[in-house]
């Protein structure tokens, strides 16, 4: 089946630093990748949609300069949280879908803690 | 905006049946998905409904009524490994997924 990986699974960083999270589709080519954010006991909230080779489309209220998304290849998308602050601490999940399919396959998530 | 409601928690006994309801109000509709998520793991796809009616897949079944904005996920012959969070997600007119907050199901021996 379709497998999506994320790295790292957990990261703890100091306030003011930047953190990069990778999302990879391991056995299929992902024309579209999605980035979600989840706070405890809350819904997964879509942050942005990225298509390979083009700029990401951000949802309303998501700061594009804060959350930099790059989708450089058909198997890799990255999310960089810039100048992280404690309120940025949350669970980030990516998903990927193959061209012509309806289903999104999710990565295992990355828990970010900013001290 | 999108509004998707599902119960926060449910508890059931091993071998029993549990039904998780989901009601939604979205701008446009292009299908409803159910995902299972164990703590610290990826959500895994369970079912997809785009037309009214029941979709059965082994011990899991999902039902959709578009006119009522309502779906349920039915888990039969519950096993301990079914203890997880179950997410209802609706794909809207822009083909974006909106999720409910999830229902935590606890299966007791």
């Amino acid at each position: 089946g379709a497998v999506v990986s994320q790295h790292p699974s957990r990261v703890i960083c100091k306030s003011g630093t930047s953190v990069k999270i990778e999302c990879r589709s391991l056995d299929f080519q992902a024309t579209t990748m999605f980035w979600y954010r989840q706070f405890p006991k809350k819904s997964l909230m879509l942050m942005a949609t990225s298509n390979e080779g083009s700029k990401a489309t951000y949802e309303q209220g998501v700061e594009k300069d804060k959350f930099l998304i790059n989708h450089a290849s058909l198997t890799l998308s990255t999310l960089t949280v810039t100048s992280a602050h404690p309120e940025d601490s949350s669970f980030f999940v990516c998903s990927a879908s193959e061209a012509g399919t309806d289903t999104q396959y999710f990565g295992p998530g990355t828990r970010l803690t900013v001290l | 905006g999108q509004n998707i409601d599902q119960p926060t928690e449910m508890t059931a006994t091993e071998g029993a049946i549990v039904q998780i309801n989901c009601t939604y109000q979205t701008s446009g509709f292009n299908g409803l998905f159910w995902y299972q998520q164990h703590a610290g793991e990826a959500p895994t796809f369970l079912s997809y409904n785009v037309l009214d009616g029941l979709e059965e897949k082994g011990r899991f079944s999902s039902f959709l009524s578009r006119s009522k904005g309502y779906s349920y996920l039915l888990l039969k012959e519950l096993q301990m490994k079914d203890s997880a969070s179950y997410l209802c997600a609706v794909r809207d007119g822009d083909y974006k997924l909106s999720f409910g907050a999830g229902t935590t199901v606890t299966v007791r021996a």
Side-chain angles (χ1 to χ4, degrees):
Chain A
V3 178
V4 176
S5 71
Q6 274 184 246
H7 177 80
S9 57
R10 292 177 184 270
V11 57
I12 300 172
C13 68
K14 292 182 180 179
S15 186
T17 59
S18 294
V19 174
K20 180 185 282 189
I21 303 168
E22 292 185 348
C23 177
R24 293 182 185 272
S25 56
L26 298 186
D27 52 2
F28 67 100
Q29 293 189 324
T31 49
T32 306
M33 287 185 167
F34 304 85
W35 287 95
Y36 295 84
R37 189 175 186 182
Q38 188 176 31
F39 290 101
K41 299 191 185 296
K42 298 292 185 183
S43 308
L44 280 162
M45 297 295 295
L46 180 65
M47 298 175 66
T49 303
S50 74
N51 292 293
E52 185 266 339
S54 61
K55 288 186 178 180
T57 302
Y58 289 81
E59 294 301 299
Q60 194 171 11
V62 177
E63 301 172 61
K64 58 182 69 175
D65 294 331
K66 176 75 171 175
F67 301 101
L68 300 178
I69 291 171
N70 182 275
H71 192 159
S73 76
L74 285 171
T75 59
L76 173 65
S77 176
T78 60
L79 166 67
T80 301
V81 183
T82 61
S83 187
H85 291 284
E87 57 266 29
D88 297 326
S89 299
S90 60
F91 191 57
F92 292 90
V93 184
C94 74
S95 72
S97 62
E98 199 171 7
T101 67
D102 289 328
T103 304
Q104 291 184 29
Y105 298 95
F106 285 83
T110 298
R111 186 160 303 283
L112 170 65
T113 303
V114 185
L115 302 176
Chain B
Q2 323 297 20
N3 191 19
I4 299 169
D5 289 318
Q6 51 182 128
T8 306
E9 294 178 325
M10 301 183 76
T11 303
T13 306
E14 199 173 11
I17 297 172
V18 70
Q19 178 174 314
I20 306 170
N21 296 324
C22 173
T23 58
Y24 64 89
Q25 293 174 311
T26 59
S27 51
F29 179 82
N30 279 295
L32 186 143
F33 296 77
W34 284 95
Y35 287 87
Q36 181 192 61
Q37 187 177 25
H38 285 98
E41 297 181 12
T44 54
F45 170 76
L46 290 178
S47 69
Y48 169 62
N49 296 69
V50 66
L51 299 176
D52 291 351
L54 188 68
E55 292 283 340
E56 296 189 82
K57 200 185 276 189
R59 294 189 297 115
F60 294 172
S61 303
S62 57
F63 171 83
L64 174 67
S65 169
R66 288 171 297 170
S67 62
K68 294 181 179 178
Y70 168 71
S71 173
Y72 68 72
L73 178 70
L74 195 69
L75 314 180
K76 293 181 274 191
E77 300 169 19
L78 278 174
Q79 301 175 8
M80 299 299 286
K81 67 178 182 179
D82 297 330
S83 293
S85 182
Y86 292 84
L87 311 177
C88 172
V90 177
R91 189 164 59 191
D92 64 18
D94 294 324
Y95 284 83
K96 294 177 183 175
L97 276 183
S98 294
F99 284 84
T103 300
T104 300
V105 172
T106 302
V107 181
R108 296 184 300 197

